[in-house]
Amino acid sequence: MLLTSYLQRDLGVVLLRPGSGLLHYFSGRARLLIAPEPEEYKPLPSGLLPAVNQHLSADPRLSSFLLHERVIAAAGGISSLREWLMRGRGCQWAHGDDYHHDQMDTLDYGGRPIRLCWYHEHRLREQSLPELDVLAAQNVAEWVIYRARTHFRFGEEHQLSLPELCWWAVLADVSDLLPDAVARVSLRLPPAPLPAGTRREADIVWDKDPQAIINAYVDKVKPVLTVEVDPEPAAGFMLRPKLTRWTCENYTRWIKTQPCCCGCGMPADDPHHIIDHGLGGTGTKPHDIFTLPLTRACHTRLHDDVAAWEAKHGSQLFHLVHTLDRVFGIGVISTAKKRGEN
Ligand SMILES: [Zn+2]
Ligand SMILES: [Zn+2]
Ligand SMILES: [Zn+2]
């Protein structure tokens, strides 16, 4: 809400005039947070702020990226887009009489969904119109930005920034698709110079391509592990297979770089293989995947009294799930694939 304040210095109070339509926002006992007006709100009229339009979704520099099939797949695929679209309200067709049917459906427009009422879905089906091209592309772009925003758990009021989108692209393994102009902005390089006049060939100096620089950075943050799945392991066909312990030093080394899971905030230098819970009896260690980040001191406390440690900090299983959630979420372990593949 954007309001002008009227200072009554003699009385020591400040008055606000939200108007009767907004008064109910002030009827509760909850306190309000007051903040100065940000620069970009200056042109807006007083009153309730409009829902944030994500300006990146309309940025023409990004359209090829946002509409790329690999980016769509990385954001969850068309079915997820369709589901998101149907959470919205109203027929998206605004170019005719005002009649709309009250039931909504999605029109599959060249593989991209558009939310239309039954009436317009019926009328526009099989048609190809510039207005539909715009709507379909806009839906994809807005949804990809939505997915990137919610990936970082930013609220609706958060304006997703270009660096945030670029970082999402890295995590989603689609940073190689970022357009040159965008890659330049994120590396703080000047815009690509346009050649002017005649130049001798000897004058032309080839800069390193911004995209190549980003790709080189991304290679440095490649996952610690990639996974291959064997759906028919030989031992799976044995009645009593001998179980071998999975060890992976790369993984336990990564665990050591994480903060201690007890919440003490210290770096975990001493990976702990979980014990009890049917795992890790005397003299046997469970697989390296069942490892928690702990400091030496916290680790000792856990082994001294498992029950007391769990009573205080929570079950090891909870911390394991939490650790694995992060591991897969940030791509420490990811499915074996070549870069560029889906
Ligand atoms: Zn309609
Ligand atoms: Zn600790
Ligand atoms: Zn341990």
Side-chain angles (χ1 to χ4, degrees):
M1 210 179 291
L2 207 54
L3 297 173
T4 308
S5 59
Y6 300 93
L7 175 62
Q8 305 293 308
R9 207 175 283 280
D10 297 343
L11 295 173
V13 296
V14 172
L15 300 176
L16 300 170
R17 280 178 46 204
S20 56
L22 297 180
L23 271 184
H24 65 278
Y25 284 101
F26 298 85
S27 56
R29 293 200 159 231
R31 297 190 295 168
L32 301 173
L33 173 71
I34 296 181
E37 169 188 46
E39 199 54 43
E40 65 267 28
Y41 288 175
K42 295 240 154 87
L44 295 179
S46 292
L48 209 56
L49 288 169
V52 190
N53 275 323
Q54 295 286 338
H55 60 71
L56 288 184
S57 64
D59 190 327
R61 294 174 301 175
L62 285 168
S63 56
S64 65
F65 172 78
L66 296 173
L67 300 178
H68 196 285
E69 55 176 30
R70 266 179 56 215
V71 174
I72 294 174
I78 290 289
S79 58
S80 153
L81 162 57
R82 198 172 298 121
E83 192 215 315
W84 169 81
L85 198 60
M86 288 311 277
R87 272 186 258 149
R89 276 169 211 282
C91 174
Q92 294 192 292
W93 186 253
H95 304 276
D97 41 26
D98 274 341
Y99 176 76
H100 295 287
H101 194 277
D102 53 4
Q103 295 292 325
M104 298 295 148
D105 204 351
T106 50
L107 171 72
D108 177 3
Y109 186 71
R112 295 171 185 166
I114 300 176
R115 187 182 60 243
L116 294 176
C117 69
W118 283 4
Y119 172 68
H120 284 115
E121 200 270 335
H122 188 74
R123 292 198 52 181
L124 297 167
R125 194 191 299 165
E126 322 264 307
Q127 294 211 46
S128 156
L129 297 167
E131 292 90 340
L132 290 176
D133 295 342
V134 171
L135 273 177
Q138 193 178 308
N139 284 341
V140 177
E142 282 176 9
W143 166 76
V144 171
I145 298 294
Y146 161 82
R147 295 290 291 187
R149 173 174 67 74
T150 51
H151 172 87
F152 298 116
R153 302 208 176 129
F154 288 134
E156 216 165 322
E157 70 299 335
H158 179 83
Q159 186 67 249
L160 196 76
S161 70
L162 192 57
E164 285 159 357
L165 181 67
C166 290
W167 178 234
W168 176 82
V170 170
L171 297 179
D173 199 20
V174 289
S175 59
D176 55 309
L177 299 173
L178 286 169
D180 179 82
V182 172
R184 279 176 184 275
V185 172
S186 61
L187 293 169
R188 299 205 298 182
L189 292 174
L194 292 171
T198 46
R199 291 196 299 174
R200 288 179 299 133
E201 198 171 322
D203 293 340
I204 301 174
V205 187
W206 293 104
D207 285 342
K208 206 172 171 197
D209 167 22
Q211 191 55 65
I213 302 176
I214 290 194
N215 284 344
Y217 282 132
V218 170
D219 280 345
K220 290 186 191 154
V221 290
K222 278 223 172 108
V224 174
L225 280 185
T226 50
V227 172
E228 267 169 38
V229 176
D230 182 355
E232 298 179 335
F237 297 105
M238 295 174 197
L239 199 56
R240 283 198 194 86
K242 181 180 176 320
L243 302 180
T244 39
R245 181 171 171 258
W246 181 77
T247 57
C248 180
E249 216 201 311
N250 265 353
Y251 183 69
T252 52
R253 201 181 307 128
W254 178 83
I255 285 283
K256 283 191 198 177
T257 67
Q258 297 305 296
C260 181
C261 71
C262 84
C264 67
M266 305 296 285
D269 42 16
D270 204 20
H272 160 64
H273 290 81
I274 65 175
I275 44 173
D276 300 348
H277 301 289
L279 294 161
T282 10
T284 53
K285 248 189 191 178
H287 308 292
D288 276 353
I289 198 74
F290 297 134
T291 312
L292 296 178
L294 284 175
T295 67
R296 180 77 268 199
C298 298
H299 197 168
T300 309
R301 263 194 293 281
L302 191 156
H303 280 270
D304 284 350
D305 190 339
V306 179
W309 190 94
E310 290 198 331
K312 189 163 175 207
H313 301 293
S315 158
Q316 295 170 82
L317 294 183
F318 165 80
H319 290 292
L320 179 69
V321 170
H322 197 73
T323 304
L324 289 177
D325 183 44
R326 185 171 156 73
V327 160
F328 286 96
I330 67 173
V332 175
I333 298 181
S334 72
T335 316
K337 66 176 169 183
K338 291 200 195 85
R339 251 186 96 64
E341 263 176 24
N342 279 323

